[in-house]
Structure formats: structure tokens, C-alpha cells
Amino acid sequence: MTTSTSDHDHQLADASAAIVEQTVAALRSVDSALVSDPYIEAEFVAQIEHILGQTLATLGLSAAAEPKQASRGAEVGEHRARQNVHPVDSLKAATLLFDVGLGVLVKATGDRLGHDDIARALNASIMGNVIPASVAYVNVLLERLAVAHSEERLGISRELHDRVAHSIAAGMQRVDLSGLADPAGTDAQVRLADGMALFDAALDETRAIARDLRHFVGDKRLDEALNDYVADLDDAGPRVIVELDGMPFRLTTGTQEEAFIIVREAIHNARRHSGAGTITVSSSWQPGSVRLSVRDDGHGFEHDRIRSGALGLIAAQERAELIGADLTIDPGPGVGTHVELSIPIQEAGV
């Protein structure tokens, strides 16, 4: 007796339902976080149905109806990260789904398909959802880390401004007043003048550190954060010009924050050490990459000073590696320094 297409569809629908039921039951037996909350469980069930639909489509079989709301892998990963579901739970569920799904599908399809074909299709569908979910999960964690760093920098900035800078200013006032007690004491006046100069330099540097810590990307785009930082610079150093090429877009949170710190450090170095009259901060925004550069017209420096850790550029190299970017430094002795950060773009939001 020939089995009709309708019968096949019913068999596959029953098989999919059985896979969902057995997988959920097994996860409940081990108190998995994926079935601990009605919303998380509903999303997980929708993901299983989506994976099974993809598997049956790959095998060329008539599949059950698509779920009404099937979340993509990346969306699921982001949701689970925000719900504090550990990725180990997802990986264990993926392994369980493969074991349960393979057995049920082999039995349901009878002699129409081989075991290996079903296994390959099911594995490809699971991995096609698990990998984007894992990447999205990591991105959410990087975002949380960047926010934590931002909050920490704000706290340090407030402490520097409210306590350290205030204390230095008070000390300067006392030293200045003490010098008035003996205006004829030349040596005392020289010492006081030297001390005042040191206090002035320390106060300026403290304020600069507080300003640097206060600035981060946060909810802004990288170009907006750089513009705000440059606008907040004092008049003590060289003129800083900002140039823009292309249409800026939002990068991932971790990438934006690390790139901002690299560029900020390059600007700081140029203002403090280059002896330049002008510093140019440029950004070029293209679909496949973002290029950021800091160029000054100062005296430059010898290239071997980079390897010894001069100007903090070793730390900048490490930050660039963390976000998969390339950092090049042309010290240009006598003609100025050029620092360029190139960030490859695979997927960018707007």
C-alpha cells in the first residue's frame, strides 16, 4: 500500500512534535535554565521547530508548518545572554537535540533516506543556529564589559577632580602664601617658584586625566564621541582638526570603546610630546572598513622608541589586536608622526 504525501506530512509533523516533547522533558529532568522560565522555554521550542524545519527542507521532505515566530540564532543568543542563560546550557541542549532528533527522524523517514544524510542535515541546521547565537552572546558580554569600564572611568574621573585636583590646588595656594612671609629670601623664592611650577604641571596633568576618563563612546557613535572629546580639549596644546570621509555608522560596543581609547591616546601623545602646531584627526567610513588616523606636524621620534614602550603605543597595539584591527605608526622623525587604525567591518549596525 502506497503512503500518500499527506500521510508523510503527518508523520513528519508527529516526529517534530515528538522531538520537541522528548527534548524539553529531558532538559526538565536536569533542571536546565532553558526550560526554567515560560518565555525562555517558548523561545527554545520555537528554535527547535525552526531547526527541524530547516533540516527537513534540506532533506527535500515535506515539512510541518513554519513556527509563527522563529527567532534567528543571533537573536536567540542575544536574548539568552541578557537573561543570564549560560552558553553551556545551550551547547548541552544542542547535543541532546541532535541525539533525540536523529533517532526520531530516522525512524519516521523509514527507508527513504540514509542515516548519514539525516545526521549531516540535522547537524548543519543546529550549527547554523548555535554559531550565530554564540557570537551574539559574546557581543552582549563585551557590551556589558564596555559599560562597566565606562562607569569605572567616570568614578575615577570624579575622584581625580574632586579630591586630587582640589588638594593640589589647595597646596599651591598655601605655598604661594608662605612665600609672602619673607619676600627678601631669594633662595626661598626660587624654591617656591620651582614648587609652584611642579604643582601647576601636576594639576594640569590631573585635569587632563580626569577629562580623558570622562569621555567614552557609550550610546554615541565613534565619530560623535571623538568630536566631543576634541571639542572639550583645552587651549594649552596644538590645534586639533577633525576630518570626516564617508557616512559614519555604529560599530559593536566593544570595538567602538577600544578604538576610541586608541585614538584618544594618540591625540594625547601628540599634544604632550610632538611639539606640533596642528594635529589632524581623520576618519574614513567605508562598507568594508573604518580607518582612523592621527597625524601631527611635529618633530616625530625614532622608530626604536616604539619597541621600548615609548608613548604608551605598545598598549595601543594590544588594544588593536583585541578588536581585530591593524595599527600602524609612522614616527616620521623631523616631519611629524602618523598613527592609523584600520578596522575591518563584517557586520555593522546603523
Side-chain angles (χ1 to χ4, degrees):
M1 179 172 142
T2 304
T3 304
S4 69
T5 301
S6 178
D7 289 338
H8 284 154
D9 290 344
H10 285 303
Q11 289 175 357
L12 293 173
D14 290 342
S16 296
I19 293 170
V20 171
E21 182 180 354
Q22 292 177 35
T23 303
V24 169
L27 291 176
R28 282 189 180 137
S29 69
V30 294
D31 295 324
S32 171
L34 292 173
V35 293
S36 62
D37 175 89
Y39 175 82
I40 299 175
E41 180 178 329
E43 185 177 59
F44 176 60
V45 169
Q47 189 184 28
I48 295 178
E49 293 172 345
H50 184 67
I51 288 172
L52 294 176
Q54 289 179 323
T55 302
L56 296 174
T58 300
L59 294 170
L61 300 173
S62 177
E66 279 288 305
K68 293 181 180 180
Q69 293 181 337
S71 296
R72 294 179 300 170
E75 293 172 333
V76 171
E78 180 178 341
H79 293 166
R80 288 180 185 166
R82 299 193 187 283
Q83 294 157 347
N84 295 316
V85 177
H86 199 281
V88 169
D89 291 310
S90 297
L91 293 175
K92 288 180 178 179
T95 301
L96 177 63
L97 174 60
F98 179 82
D99 292 339
V100 172
L102 181 60
V104 173
L105 288 176
V106 167
K107 183 177 180 180
T109 56
D111 297 331
R112 285 180 289 168
L113 292 170
H115 177 281
D116 292 346
D117 292 332
I118 297 173
R120 281 192 292 268
L122 181 59
N123 180 71
S125 182
I126 292 174
M127 289 299 100
N129 283 266
V130 168
I131 293 174
S134 300
V135 173
Y137 189 98
V138 171
N139 285 338
V140 171
L141 295 185
L142 286 174
E143 178 182 339
R144 288 180 180 174
L145 182 62
V147 170
H149 285 170
S150 298
E151 293 174 349
E152 181 182 20
R153 288 198 297 271
L154 280 174
I156 296 172
S157 175
R158 284 191 292 267
E159 290 292 302
L160 284 171
H161 182 272
D162 297 341
R163 298 175 60 183
V164 181
H166 177 75
S167 298
I168 292 174
M172 287 173 59
Q173 183 181 37
R174 291 189 179 90
V175 170
D176 194 27
L177 291 173
S178 68
L180 298 178
D182 183 17
T186 304
D187 290 343
Q189 290 297 313
V190 170
R191 287 195 297 272
L192 286 173
D194 290 343
M196 287 293 293
L198 292 173
F199 270 134
D200 276 330
L203 183 58
D204 288 344
E205 191 65 25
T206 301
R207 285 171 173 160
I209 292 172
R211 181 187 60 243
D212 286 355
L213 288 168
R214 187 170 63 247
H215 282 277
F216 54 93
V217 181
D219 294 332
K220 295 175 284 190
R221 295 194 313 261
L222 177 57
D223 64 299
E224 295 170 331
L226 289 173
N227 283 332
D228 289 347
Y229 174 70
V230 171
D232 197 32
L233 294 173
D234 55 44
D235 297 329
R239 182 172 61 124
V240 181
I241 301 173
V242 178
E243 296 179 344
L244 175 66
D245 175 45
M247 183 65 68
F249 48 83
R250 189 178 300 279
L251 306 175
T252 60
T253 301
T255 298
Q256 291 198 144
E257 294 292 350
E258 296 299 329
F260 175 78
I261 293 172
I262 293 170
V263 175
R264 187 190 68 191
E265 178 69 12
I267 296 172
H268 178 83
N269 288 336
R271 280 168 52 83
R272 291 291 183 272
H273 306 292
S274 70
T278 302
I279 301 170
T280 303
V281 181
S282 304
S283 62
S284 176
W285 300 79
Q286 306 299 329
S289 68
V290 175
R291 288 200 323 275
L292 306 164
S293 75
V294 178
R295 186 189 298 272
D296 66 68
D297 57 3
H299 49 64
F301 58 95
E302 297 299 327
H303 197 281
D304 57 5
R305 291 180 63 193
I306 300 175
R307 292 192 296 274
S308 64
L311 310 181
L313 292 175
I314 297 300
Q317 292 278 15
E318 293 174 349
R319 289 185 182 278
E321 291 176 4
L322 284 175
I323 59 175
D326 292 325
L327 181 67
T328 58
I329 304 164
D330 182 2
V335 296
T337 301
H338 180 206
V339 178
E340 181 172 286
L341 180 70
S342 179
I343 308 170
I345 303 301
Q346 296 180 343
E347 189 173 325
V350 293

